[in-house]
């Protein structure tokens, strides 16, 4: 078998689990923009070489270094393990550090036997710092950096040639329009005191202000089947207070909680300190907002 010329080994191969696509894609764009040739499954750069069909051959004959994203997802998945095994064999055969592990949240004791003895690049806390460390490792290894149009390739990949298309488009925004504010605030009184779990379930879907474990203020009726009655309804514009609470404060709180309930219904999650709503993993395709 004829040996592959060293000059043909000019690609970086990113090995990762599908759950880590965000980091893999980010790395691909960053490294390509800096002039490196990068292979990453599922990402095709316009004007660049497409992902190889024969992965084994690509790693053995065309790859200069394999960047292994190490996470709780990739550590035991068959394909990433197979790619790391091939890379480990190449390391032994050529007597070089062919694998560069990129640690994404694993403790040193969780790394597998192929990478536990290697110096890994830490991406657990800060991707920008991880990239800076990775670039140092690539330069130290003499990694080819042949692309002169890397930034143009990224631009062509991200921006379509047809920027304006005559077709429907779904637009998502974090700005919500309040079309109308209810004129009355109702006093809702349940037939018995609600326990913590019942109050929490109501909070997730119903905008209300708690007066007691049994009495609440709200614009609308509570969901569910808990027995209650509307004890009173106050036209808040004509009152200084509602149940002893400043009327304007009650309305502003109910408006804020109404927006929170709307966002939660769309999939957002309230932080543990209940101060912020955030986008959890899995809410959008490839976890991109």
């Amino acid at each position: 078998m004829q040996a592959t010329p060293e000059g043909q080994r000019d690609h970086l191969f990113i090995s990762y689990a599908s759950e880590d696509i965000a980091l893999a894609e980010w790395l691909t764009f960053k490294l390509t923009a800096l002039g490196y040739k990068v292979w990453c499954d599922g990402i095709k750069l316009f004007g660049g070489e497409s992902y190889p069909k024969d992965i084994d051959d690509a790693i053995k004959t065309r790859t200069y270094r394999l960047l292994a994203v190490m996470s709780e997802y990739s550590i035991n998945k068959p394909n990433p393990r197979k790619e790391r095994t091939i890379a480990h064999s190449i390391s032994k055969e050529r007597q070089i550090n062919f694998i560069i592990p990129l640690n994404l949240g694993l403790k040193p004791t969780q790394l597998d036997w192929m990478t536990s003895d290697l110096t890994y690049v830490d991406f657990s806390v800060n991707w920008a710092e991880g990239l800076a460390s990775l670039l140092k490792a690539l330069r130290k290894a003499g990694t080819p950096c042949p692309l002169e149009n890397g930034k143009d390739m990224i631009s062509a990949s991200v921006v379509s040639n047809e920027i304006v298309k005559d077709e429907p488009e779904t637009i998502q925004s974090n700005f919500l329009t309040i079309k109308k504010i209810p004129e009355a605030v109702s006093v809702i009184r349940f037939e018995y005191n609600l326990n913590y779990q019942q109050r929490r379930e109501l909070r997730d879907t119903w905008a209300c202000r708690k007066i007691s474990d049994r009495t609440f203020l709200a614009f609308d009726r509570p969901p569910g089947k808990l027995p209650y009655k509307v004890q009173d309804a106050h036209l808040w514009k004509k009152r200084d207070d509602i149940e002893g609470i400043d009327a304007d404060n009650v309305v502003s709180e109910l408006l804020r909680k109404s927006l929170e309930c709307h966002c939660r219904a769309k999939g957002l999650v309230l932080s543990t300190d209940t101060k912020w709503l955030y986008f959890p993993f899995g809410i959008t395709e490839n976890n991109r907002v």
Side-chain angles (χ1 to χ4, degrees), residues 8 58 85 113 125 134-135 159 189 207 219 232 250 252:
Q8 289 187 17
T85 300
W113 64 271
V125 179
L134 173 59
L135 292 175
V159 180
R189 185 172 176 83
F219 286 136
D232 205 345
V250 170
S252 63

Side-chain angles (χ1 to χ4, degrees), residues 11-16 20-29 32 37-45 49-52 55 69:
H11 279 70
L12 295 173
F13 187 101
I14 300 181
S15 173
Y16 70 100
D20 301 319
I21 179 64
L23 175 59
E25 184 181 71
W26 184 82
L27 272 177
T28 300
F29 287 168
T32 301
K37 289 185 177 182
V38 183
W39 273 326
C40 183
D41 185 18
I43 300 174
K44 181 179 179 181
L45 302 176
E49 190 174 353
S50 59
Y51 191 73
I55 305 301
V69 178

Side-chain angles (χ1 to χ4, degrees), residues 67-131:
L67 310 181
V69 178
M70 305 298 298
S71 72
E72 60 178 312
Y73 305 108
S74 67
I75 194 70
N76 289 316
K77 274 202 168 183
N79 284 345
R81 281 183 63 87
K82 177 184 176 183
E83 291 160 359
R84 294 196 301 271
T85 300
I86 295 172
H88 180 71
S89 299
I90 294 173
S91 293
K92 292 179 64 177
E93 177 185 333
R94 300 179 191 168
Q95 295 296 300
I96 60 173
N97 293 327
F98 186 72
I99 308 176
I100 301 180
L102 312 181
N103 189 7
L104 192 59
L106 292 182
K107 297 177 181 179
T109 54
Q110 293 177 291
L111 296 171
D112 59 20
W113 64 271
M114 289 178 284
T115 53
S116 59
D117 293 336
L118 301 176
T119 301
Y120 62 80
V121 179
D122 192 5
F123 277 82
S124 302
V125 179
N126 188 307
W127 287 8
E129 292 180 2
L131 177 61

Side-chain angles (χ1 to χ4, degrees), residues 134-249:
L134 173 59
L135 292 175
K136 289 181 182 179
L138 294 176
R139 287 193 290 267
K140 184 177 180 180
T143 308
C145 191
L147 297 180
E148 296 181 357
N149 62 334
K151 292 182 180 180
D152 294 334
M153 291 170 60
I154 296 301
S155 298
S157 299
V158 175
V159 180
S160 171
N161 292 329
E162 297 182 21
I163 298 178
V164 179
K165 295 183 178 180
D166 184 16
E167 60 184 40
E169 179 183 10
T170 299
I171 298 177
Q172 299 180 354
S173 170
N174 60 344
F175 288 90
L176 301 175
T177 301
I178 299 175
K179 294 182 177 180
K180 184 179 180 181
I181 300 176
E183 297 180 355
V185 174
S186 298
V187 180
I188 307 295
R189 185 172 176 83
F190 292 90
E191 291 186 4
Y192 48 80
N193 289 347
L194 304 184
N195 59 38
Y196 173 78
Q197 184 62 32
Q198 290 170 324
R199 296 197 306 272
R200 182 169 182 174
E201 290 176 357
L202 278 176
R203 184 197 69 187
D204 292 345
T205 57
W206 184 44
C208 62
R209 165 69 185 261
K210 176 187 171 187
I211 302 298
S212 69
D213 289 345
R214 188 174 178 181
T215 306
F216 298 80
L217 302 178
F219 286 136
D220 54 1
R221 308 295 176 90
K225 298 181 180 180
L226 293 174
Y228 69 90
K229 64 178 180 179
V230 179
Q231 183 172 299
D232 205 345
H234 301 284
L235 297 175
W236 58 269
K237 290 183 180 180
K238 297 181 179 181
R239 298 183 61 94
D240 292 329
D241 68 272
I242 301 174
E243 298 294 310
I245 306 171
D246 184 275
D248 289 340
N249 289 344

